[in-house]
Amino acid sequence: MYLATTDAAATATKVTRGRVGGTVLALGAVSLVTDISSEMVTAVLPLYFVLQLGLSPLQFGFLDGLYNGVTALVRLLGGHAADRGGRHKLVAGAGYALSALSRLGLLLAGGGTAGIGAALAADRIGKGVRTAPRDALISLSAPPDALGRAFGVHRAMDTTGALLGPLAAFALLWATADAYDAVFVVSFCVGAVGVLLLMAFVPGRDAGVPGRDAGAPGPDDAGAAVRARAPAARQPRVRLLTPFRAPAFRRIFAAAALLGAATVGDAFLYLLLQRRLEFAVSWFPLLPLGAAAVYLLLAVPAGRLGDRIGRRVPFLSGHAALLGGYVLLAVTDSGPVLLVGVLLSLGVFYAATDGVLMALAGPVLPAARRASGMALLQTGQALCRLLAAAGFGAAWTVWGARPALIVAIAALAVALTAAAALLPRRTAPDGCPRTDDPRPMTSAT
């Protein structure tokens, strides 16, 4: 079994060396289009909630937390469902479709808080359902020593959509005299195109064969696929918490959760920038463009750097950059320095952490539990960021913006120190803990 699997992986490595496989590129195209749809809405939500609907920072904090944290159980169920029978594409497609339909929910909700909350919940449920199966497809379609590059390319394409989405929202608001309904309608149409792209161009079960990209030749193609899926067939009872049996995964999970609990939501940072710089609110949807541009430029280099030196250093460095952005917001009064510094720190943060974390965790998880493990990791972050968003919103409402920022700076500094101690230090370039045992890692099976 081990020889068959490693032979297939070695063949895939030779085939994909120097380029990114077709599955990653197809998923990147789907994410690009979907992110245009998503970021059109995300870019205007703070304005829509705080300025048009008149919500307080505390109320917005809870809604923002809902927007990012309601998917906890759904992420786990989505990863679990994807691992059972290798239905990664089917589960991911359902999530993309639900997110697209949620845009119509925002349109129908009008100004009702309950309707808006339900629409946001539907969107986040869709995102939760699709994210782990999608990332598992990427992880299973690239060799371990190129996972950073694969995730970097995917995130770069995804971020291209994040750049185009706010531009589209800005253009629509300008052309329609701040008609938010037009943004929601166009966002739905673009999201539907993303679903069609997934159905047409992303391979199905073959994309989930460990060590192979879709279309990559392998020895005894049909037999290799059967052998590669054999472990899942011998383990019909899939337990959600099984990935925690791997010590390396437990340490990665704990570090990511601690850092997530000390991470202020992007929307709060953009609101703070708008209040500090006092620019016209019509320019607000363009703020994410600066961070997205930096992310786009650095996602692939950060992934490749992680492949070469280990993924621990980029992951911690990204959070250190975010800490620098918080400090700038707390102590700097210079408008240009504040604007450029905060957007730069956000871009570096996402480029060095988003795909890098998935590439760090992927190799320590067996193929049959890849989606479940990634769902657990993403759920931990989502729940902790829910607490962070609600906590920062409450601190802002009670104490004011500057004291809340000081608390956030202290929390992130402590979390960064703890994460540096928790993350496995002895890692191979592919992200796996070093071992003298020549057998494959099975501690999480």
Side-chain angles (χ1 to χ4, degrees):
M1 167 61 204
Y2 172 58
L3 291 177
T5 303
T6 52
D7 285 346
T11 301
T13 301
K14 293 178 181 178
V15 172
T16 60
R17 189 183 301 277
R19 67 176 180 87
V20 175
T23 299
V24 176
L25 293 176
L27 287 167
V30 173
S31 292
L32 187 156
V33 173
T34 302
D35 233 41
I36 294 175
S37 169
S38 176
E39 292 302 321
M40 286 180 66
V41 174
T42 301
V44 303
L45 280 181
L47 291 176
Y48 186 59
F49 289 155
V50 176
L51 299 182
Q52 179 158 320
L53 299 183
L55 300 185
S56 70
L58 177 60
Q59 291 172 312
F60 175 70
F62 278 109
L63 279 177
D64 187 62
L66 173 68
Y67 192 75
N68 289 287
V70 75
T71 59
L73 292 177
V74 178
R75 286 180 189 268
L76 297 178
L77 295 176
H80 178 78
D83 280 339
R84 290 180 63 88
R87 297 188 293 264
H88 298 85
K89 177 181 176 179
L90 177 63
V91 175
Y96 280 111
L98 182 58
S99 290
L101 291 173
S102 72
R103 315 293 187 236
L104 295 181
L106 284 172
L107 181 67
L108 297 175
T113 304
I116 292 172
L120 292 181
D123 177 58
R124 294 300 92 183
I125 288 172
K127 183 175 177 62
V129 166
R130 72 178 184 254
T131 301
R134 181 205 65 199
D135 285 349
L137 281 172
I138 296 171
S139 179
L140 294 169
S141 300
D145 62 351
L147 280 179
R149 181 182 60 191
F151 276 103
V153 169
H154 173 269
R155 295 316 197 249
M157 297 179 71
D158 183 88
T159 306
T160 302
L163 279 168
L164 297 176
L167 282 174
F170 176 77
L172 280 171
L173 289 177
W174 178 79
T176 60
D178 295 338
Y180 291 94
D181 289 353
V183 175
F184 299 150
V185 170
V186 174
S187 174
F188 162 73
C189 295
V190 176
V193 172
V195 176
L196 294 177
L197 287 174
L198 177 78
M199 295 172 58
F201 297 107
V202 175
R205 288 177 180 269
D206 287 343
V209 177
R212 283 186 56 209
D213 188 17
D220 186 17
D221 208 51
V226 172
R227 288 192 297 273
R229 286 195 292 265
R234 290 198 299 268
Q235 298 177 12
R237 294 182 180 180
V238 180
R239 295 184 175 89
L240 291 176
L241 301 182
T242 297
F244 280 120
R245 295 180 183 176
F249 179 77
R250 290 199 300 269
R251 294 168 72 91
I252 293 170
F253 178 91
L258 278 173
L259 290 167
T263 302
V264 176
D266 296 357
F268 279 118
L269 301 184
Y270 296 144
L271 283 172
L272 286 169
L273 278 176
Q274 194 275 330
R275 293 193 176 194
R276 290 282 299 276
L277 302 180
E278 297 181 346
F279 53 79
V281 295
S282 60
W283 294 97
F284 189 90
L286 296 181
L287 282 178
L289 292 181
V294 176
Y295 187 5
L296 177 61
L297 291 174
L298 297 182
V300 176
R304 297 187 67 174
L305 180 65
D307 289 339
R308 292 179 180 176
I309 68 172
R311 290 148 195 161
R312 179 179 181 273
V313 173
F315 183 69
L316 294 174
S317 299
H319 284 89
L322 183 64
L323 179 61
Y326 292 179
V327 171
L328 279 176
L329 275 169
V331 304
T332 303
D333 293 323
S334 174
V337 172
L338 185 60
L339 180 63
V340 174
V342 171
L343 297 183
L344 181 64
S345 69
L346 275 174
V348 172
F349 164 67
Y350 282 113
T353 61
D354 188 12
V356 171
L357 177 60
M358 294 298 103
L360 177 65
V364 305
L365 294 165
R369 300 292 183 270
R370 193 68 53 87
S372 299
M374 289 183 170
L376 282 169
L377 187 57
Q378 293 158 0
T379 296
Q381 281 193 313
L383 289 175
C384 289
R385 286 176 177 174
L386 166 63
L387 295 176
F392 185 81
W396 185 352
T397 301
V398 175
W399 300 329
R402 190 176 294 272
L405 267 175
I406 293 173
V407 172
I409 290 169
L412 183 54
V414 172
L416 188 57
T417 302
L422 280 170
L423 285 174
R425 292 178 178 273
R426 298 184 60 206
T427 56
D430 62 359
C432 297
R434 295 189 187 279
T435 176
D436 295 328
D437 189 347
R439 295 172 298 175
M441 292 185 62
T442 57
S443 59
T445 58

Coordinates of all heavy atoms in Angstrom, one line a residue, residues 233-291:
A233 N -11.9 3.2 2.5 CA -12.8 2.2 2.3 C -12.7 1.3 3.6 O -13.7 0.7 4.0 CB -12.5 1.3 1.1
R234 N -11.6 1.1 4.2 CA -11.4 0.3 5.4 C -11.9 1.0 6.7 O -11.9 0.4 7.7 CB -10.0 -0.2 5.5 CG -9.5 -1.1 4.5 CD -8.3 -1.8 4.9 NE -7.2 -0.9 5.1 CZ -6.3 -0.6 4.2 NH1 -6.4 -1.1 3.0 NH2 -5.3 0.3 4.5
Q235 N -12.2 2.3 6.6 CA -12.6 3.1 7.8 C -13.9 3.7 7.5 O -14.0 5.0 7.3 CB -11.5 4.1 8.1 CG -10.2 3.5 8.5 CD -9.2 4.6 8.7 OE1 -9.5 5.7 8.8 NE2 -7.9 4.2 8.8
P236 N -15.0 3.0 7.5 CA -16.3 3.6 7.1 C -16.8 4.5 8.2 O -17.6 5.4 7.9 CB -17.2 2.3 7.0 CG -16.6 1.3 7.8 CD -15.1 1.5 7.7
R237 N -16.3 4.3 9.5 CA -16.8 5.2 10.5 C -15.8 6.4 10.7 O -14.7 6.3 11.2 CB -16.9 4.5 11.9 CG -17.9 3.4 11.9 CD -18.0 2.7 13.2 NE -19.0 1.7 13.3 CZ -19.3 0.9 14.3 NH1 -18.6 1.1 15.4 NH2 -20.2 0.0 14.3
V238 N -16.2 7.5 10.1 CA -15.4 8.7 10.1 C -15.8 9.5 11.4 O -16.9 9.9 11.5 CB -15.6 9.5 8.8 CG1 -14.7 10.8 8.9 CG2 -15.3 8.7 7.6
R239 N -14.8 9.7 12.2 CA -15.0 10.5 13.4 C -14.5 11.9 13.2 O -13.4 12.1 12.8 CB -14.3 9.9 14.6 CG -14.9 8.5 15.0 CD -14.3 8.0 16.3 NE -14.9 6.7 16.7 CZ -14.5 5.5 16.3 NH1 -13.6 5.4 15.4 NH2 -15.2 4.5 16.7
L240 N -15.3 12.9 13.6 CA -14.9 14.3 13.4 C -13.6 14.7 14.1 O -12.9 15.5 13.6 CB -16.1 15.2 13.9 CG -17.4 15.2 13.0 CD1 -18.4 16.1 13.7 CD2 -17.1 15.6 11.6
L241 N -13.4 14.2 15.3 CA -12.2 14.6 16.1 C -11.0 13.7 15.9 O -10.0 13.9 16.6 CB -12.6 14.6 17.6 CG -13.8 15.5 18.0 CD1 -14.0 15.5 19.5 CD2 -13.5 17.0 17.5
T242 N -11.1 12.8 14.9 CA -9.9 11.9 14.7 C -8.6 12.7 14.4 O -7.6 12.3 14.9 CB -10.3 10.9 13.5 OG1 -11.4 10.1 13.9 CG2 -9.1 10.0 13.2
P243 N -8.7 13.8 13.6 CA -7.4 14.4 13.3 C -6.6 14.9 14.6 O -5.4 15.1 14.5 CB -7.8 15.6 12.5 CG -9.1 15.2 11.8 CD -9.8 14.3 12.8
F244 N -7.3 15.1 15.7 CA -6.6 15.5 16.9 C -5.7 14.5 17.5 O -4.9 14.8 18.4 CB -7.7 15.9 18.0 CG -8.2 17.3 17.8 CD1 -9.6 17.5 17.6 CD2 -7.4 18.4 17.7 CE1 -10.1 18.8 17.4 CE2 -7.9 19.7 17.5 CZ -9.3 19.9 17.4
R245 N -5.8 13.3 17.0 CA -4.8 12.2 17.4 C -3.4 12.5 17.0 O -2.5 12.0 17.6 CB -5.2 10.9 16.9 CG -6.6 10.4 17.4 CD -6.9 9.0 16.8 NE -8.2 8.5 17.3 CZ -8.8 7.4 16.8 NH1 -8.2 6.6 16.0 NH2 -10.0 7.1 17.3
A246 N -3.2 13.3 16.0 CA -1.9 13.7 15.6 C -1.3 14.8 16.5 O -1.9 15.9 16.5 CB -1.9 14.1 14.1
P247 N -0.2 14.6 17.2 CA 0.3 15.7 18.1 C 0.6 17.0 17.3 O 0.4 18.1 17.8 CB 1.5 15.1 18.7 CG 1.3 13.6 18.6 CD 0.5 13.4 17.3
A248 N 1.2 16.8 16.1 CA 1.6 18.0 15.3 C 0.3 18.8 15.0 O 0.3 20.1 15.0 CB 2.3 17.6 14.1
F249 N -0.8 18.2 14.6 CA -2.0 18.9 14.3 C -2.6 19.6 15.5 O -3.1 20.7 15.4 CB -3.0 17.9 13.7 CG -4.4 18.6 13.4 CD1 -4.5 19.4 12.2 CD2 -5.5 18.5 14.2 CE1 -5.7 20.0 11.9 CE2 -6.6 19.1 13.9 CZ -6.7 19.9 12.8
R250 N -2.5 19.0 16.7 CA -3.0 19.6 17.9 C -2.2 20.9 18.2 O -2.8 21.9 18.6 CB -2.9 18.7 19.1 CG -3.8 17.5 19.1 CD -4.0 16.9 20.4 NE -2.7 16.4 21.0 CZ -2.2 15.2 20.8 NH1 -2.9 14.3 20.1 NH2 -1.1 14.8 21.4
R251 N -0.9 20.9 18.0 CA -0.2 22.1 18.2 C -0.5 23.2 17.2 O -0.6 24.4 17.6 CB 1.3 21.8 18.2 CG 1.7 20.8 19.3 CD 3.1 20.3 19.1 NE 4.2 21.3 19.3 CZ 4.7 21.5 20.5 NH1 4.4 20.8 21.5 NH2 5.7 22.5 20.6
I252 N -0.6 22.8 16.0 CA -1.0 23.8 14.9 C -2.4 24.4 15.2 O -2.6 25.6 15.1 CB -1.0 23.2 13.5 CG1 0.5 22.8 13.2 CG2 -1.5 24.1 12.5 CD1 0.6 21.9 11.9
F253 N -3.3 23.5 15.6 CA -4.7 24.0 15.9 C -4.6 25.0 17.1 O -5.3 26.0 17.0 CB -5.5 22.8 16.3 CG -6.9 23.2 16.6 CD1 -7.9 23.2 15.7 CD2 -7.3 23.4 18.0 CE1 -9.2 23.6 16.0 CE2 -8.6 23.8 18.3 CZ -9.6 23.8 17.4
A254 N -3.9 24.7 18.2 CA -3.9 25.5 19.3 C -3.3 26.9 19.0 O -3.8 27.9 19.4 CB -3.1 24.9 20.5
A255 N -2.2 26.9 18.2 CA -1.6 28.2 17.8 C -2.5 29.0 17.0 O -2.7 30.2 17.2 CB -0.3 27.9 17.1
A256 N -3.2 28.4 16.0 CA -4.1 29.1 15.1 C -5.3 29.7 15.9 O -5.7 30.8 15.7 CB -4.6 28.2 14.0
A257 N -5.8 28.9 16.9 CA -6.9 29.4 17.7 C -6.5 30.5 18.6 O -7.3 31.5 18.7 CB -7.5 28.2 18.5
L258 N -5.4 30.5 19.2 CA -4.9 31.6 20.0 C -4.8 32.9 19.2 O -5.2 34.0 19.7 CB -3.6 31.2 20.7 CG -3.7 30.4 22.0 CD1 -2.3 30.0 22.4 CD2 -4.4 31.1 23.1
L259 N -4.2 32.8 18.1 CA -4.0 34.0 17.2 C -5.3 34.5 16.7 O -5.5 35.7 16.6 CB -3.0 33.6 16.1 CG -1.6 33.4 16.5 CD1 -0.8 32.8 15.4 CD2 -0.9 34.7 16.9
G260 N -6.2 33.6 16.4 CA -7.5 34.0 15.9 C -8.3 34.8 17.0 O -9.0 35.7 16.7
A261 N -8.1 34.4 18.3 CA -8.8 35.1 19.4 C -8.3 36.5 19.6 O -8.9 37.2 20.3 CB -8.7 34.2 20.6
A262 N -7.1 36.8 19.0 CA -6.5 38.1 19.2 C -6.5 38.9 17.9 O -5.8 39.9 17.8 CB -5.1 38.0 19.7
T263 N -7.3 38.5 16.9 CA -7.3 39.1 15.6 C -8.6 40.0 15.5 O -9.7 39.5 15.5 CB -7.3 38.1 14.5 OG1 -6.1 37.3 14.7 CG2 -7.3 38.7 13.1
V264 N -8.4 41.3 15.3 CA -9.5 42.2 15.1 C -10.0 42.1 13.6 O -9.2 42.0 12.7 CB -9.1 43.6 15.4 CG1 -10.3 44.6 15.1 CG2 -8.7 43.8 16.8
G265 N -11.3 42.1 13.4 CA -11.8 41.9 12.1 C -11.4 43.1 11.2 O -11.3 44.2 11.6
D266 N -11.2 42.8 9.9 CA -10.8 43.8 8.9 C -11.8 45.0 8.9 O -11.4 46.1 8.8 CB -10.8 43.2 7.5 CG -9.7 42.1 7.4 OD1 -9.0 41.9 8.4 OD2 -9.6 41.5 6.3
A267 N -13.1 44.7 9.0 CA -14.1 45.8 8.9 C -13.9 46.8 10.0 O -14.0 48.0 9.7 CB -15.5 45.2 9.0
F268 N -13.5 46.4 11.2 CA -13.2 47.4 12.3 C -12.0 48.2 11.9 O -12.0 49.4 12.2 CB -12.9 46.6 13.6 CG -14.2 46.2 14.3 CD1 -14.4 44.9 14.5 CD2 -15.1 47.1 14.7 CE1 -15.6 44.5 15.2 CE2 -16.2 46.7 15.4 CZ -16.5 45.4 15.6
L269 N -11.0 47.6 11.3 CA -9.8 48.4 11.0 C -10.1 49.4 9.9 O -9.7 50.6 9.9 CB -8.7 47.5 10.5 CG -8.2 46.4 11.5 CD1 -7.0 45.7 10.9 CD2 -7.8 47.1 12.8
Y270 N -11.0 49.1 8.9 CA -11.4 50.0 7.9 C -12.2 51.1 8.5 O -12.1 52.3 8.1 CB -12.1 49.3 6.8 CG -11.3 48.2 6.0 CD1 -11.9 47.0 5.6 CD2 -9.9 48.5 5.8 CE1 -11.1 46.1 4.9 CE2 -9.2 47.5 5.1 CZ -9.8 46.4 4.7 OH -9.0 45.4 4.0
L271 N -13.1 50.8 9.4 CA -13.9 51.8 10.0 C -13.1 52.8 10.8 O -13.3 54.0 10.8 CB -15.0 51.2 11.0 CG -16.2 50.6 10.3 CD1 -17.0 49.8 11.3 CD2 -17.1 51.6 9.6
L272 N -12.0 52.3 11.5 CA -11.1 53.1 12.3 C -10.4 54.0 11.3 O -10.2 55.2 11.6 CB -10.2 52.3 13.1 CG -10.8 51.6 14.3 CD1 -9.8 50.6 14.9 CD2 -11.1 52.6 15.4
L273 N -9.9 53.5 10.2 CA -9.2 54.3 9.2 C -10.1 55.5 8.7 O -9.7 56.6 8.6 CB -8.8 53.5 8.0 CG -7.5 52.7 8.2 CD1 -7.2 51.8 7.0 CD2 -6.3 53.7 8.4
Q274 N -11.4 55.1 8.4 CA -12.3 56.1 7.9 C -12.5 57.2 8.9 O -12.6 58.4 8.6 CB -13.6 55.5 7.5 CG -14.5 56.3 6.6 CD -15.4 57.3 7.5 OE1 -15.7 57.0 8.6 NE2 -15.7 58.4 6.9
R275 N -12.7 56.9 10.2 CA -12.9 57.9 11.2 C -11.6 58.7 11.5 O -11.7 59.9 11.7 CB -13.4 57.2 12.5 CG -14.8 56.6 12.3 CD -15.4 56.2 13.6 NE -16.7 55.6 13.4 CZ -17.6 55.4 14.4 NH1 -17.3 55.8 15.7 NH2 -18.8 55.0 14.2
R276 N -10.5 58.1 11.4 CA -9.3 58.8 11.7 C -8.9 59.8 10.6 O -8.5 60.9 10.8 CB -8.1 57.8 11.9 CG -8.2 57.0 13.2 CD -7.8 57.8 14.4 NE -6.4 58.3 14.3 CZ -5.4 57.5 14.7 NH1 -5.6 56.3 15.1 NH2 -4.1 57.9 14.6
L277 N -9.1 59.3 9.3 CA -8.7 60.1 8.2 C -9.8 61.0 7.7 O -9.6 61.9 6.9 CB -8.2 59.2 7.0 CG -7.0 58.2 7.4 CD1 -6.6 57.4 6.2 CD2 -5.8 59.0 7.9
E278 N -11.0 60.7 8.1 CA -12.2 61.5 7.7 C -12.4 61.7 6.2 O -12.6 62.8 5.8 CB -12.1 62.9 8.5 CG -12.1 62.7 10.0 CD -12.1 64.1 10.7 OE1 -11.8 65.1 10.0 OE2 -12.4 64.1 11.9
F279 N -12.2 60.7 5.5 CA -12.5 60.8 4.0 C -13.9 60.5 3.7 O -14.6 59.9 4.6 CB -11.5 59.9 3.2 CG -11.5 58.5 3.6 CD1 -12.6 57.6 3.3 CD2 -10.5 57.9 4.4 CE1 -12.6 56.3 3.7 CE2 -10.5 56.6 4.8 CZ -11.5 55.8 4.4
A280 N -14.4 60.8 2.5 CA -15.8 60.6 2.2 C -16.1 59.2 2.2 O -15.3 58.3 1.8 CB -16.0 61.2 0.8
V281 N -17.3 58.8 2.7 CA -17.7 57.4 2.8 C -17.8 56.8 1.5 O -17.8 55.5 1.4 CB -19.0 57.3 3.6 CG1 -18.8 57.8 5.0 CG2 -20.1 58.1 2.9
S282 N -18.0 57.5 0.4 CA -18.1 56.9 -0.9 C -16.8 56.2 -1.3 O -16.8 55.3 -2.2 CB -18.5 57.9 -2.0 OG -17.5 59.0 -2.0
W283 N -15.7 56.6 -0.7 CA -14.4 55.9 -1.0 C -14.2 54.7 -0.1 O -13.2 54.0 -0.3 CB -13.3 56.9 -0.8 CG -13.3 58.0 -1.7 CD1 -13.8 59.3 -1.5 CD2 -12.7 58.0 -3.0 NE1 -13.6 60.1 -2.6 CE2 -13.0 59.3 -3.6 CE3 -12.1 57.1 -3.8 CZ2 -12.6 59.7 -4.9 CZ3 -11.7 57.4 -5.1 CH2 -12.0 58.7 -5.6
F284 N -15.1 54.4 0.8 CA -14.9 53.3 1.8 C -14.7 52.0 1.1 O -13.8 51.2 1.5 CB -16.0 53.3 2.8 CG -15.8 52.3 3.9 CD1 -15.2 52.8 5.1 CD2 -16.2 51.0 3.9 CE1 -15.0 51.9 6.2 CE2 -16.0 50.2 4.9 CZ -15.4 50.6 6.1
P285 N -15.5 51.6 0.1 CA -15.4 50.3 -0.5 C -14.0 50.1 -1.2 O -13.7 48.9 -1.5 CB -16.5 50.3 -1.6 CG -17.5 51.3 -1.1 CD -16.7 52.3 -0.5
L286 N -13.2 51.1 -1.4 CA -11.9 51.0 -2.0 C -10.8 50.6 -1.0 O -9.7 50.2 -1.4 CB -11.5 52.2 -2.8 CG -12.4 52.7 -3.9 CD1 -11.9 53.9 -4.6 CD2 -12.5 51.5 -5.0
L287 N -11.1 50.7 0.3 CA -10.1 50.4 1.3 C -9.5 49.0 1.1 O -8.3 48.8 1.2 CB -10.6 50.7 2.7 CG -10.7 52.1 3.1 CD1 -11.3 52.2 4.5 CD2 -9.3 52.7 3.1
P288 N -10.4 48.0 1.0 CA -9.8 46.6 0.9 C -8.9 46.4 -0.3 O -8.2 45.4 -0.4 CB -11.1 45.7 0.7 CG -12.2 46.5 1.3 CD -11.8 48.0 1.0
L289 N -8.9 47.3 -1.3 CA -8.1 47.1 -2.5 C -6.6 47.2 -2.2 O -5.8 46.4 -2.8 CB -8.5 48.2 -3.6 CG -9.8 48.1 -4.2 CD1 -10.0 49.2 -5.2 CD2 -10.1 46.8 -4.8
G290 N -6.2 48.1 -1.3 CA -4.8 48.2 -0.9 C -4.3 46.9 -0.3 O -3.3 46.4 -0.8
A291 N -5.0 46.4 0.6 CA -4.6 45.1 1.3 C -4.6 44.0 0.3 O -3.8 43.1 0.2 CB -5.5 44.8 2.5

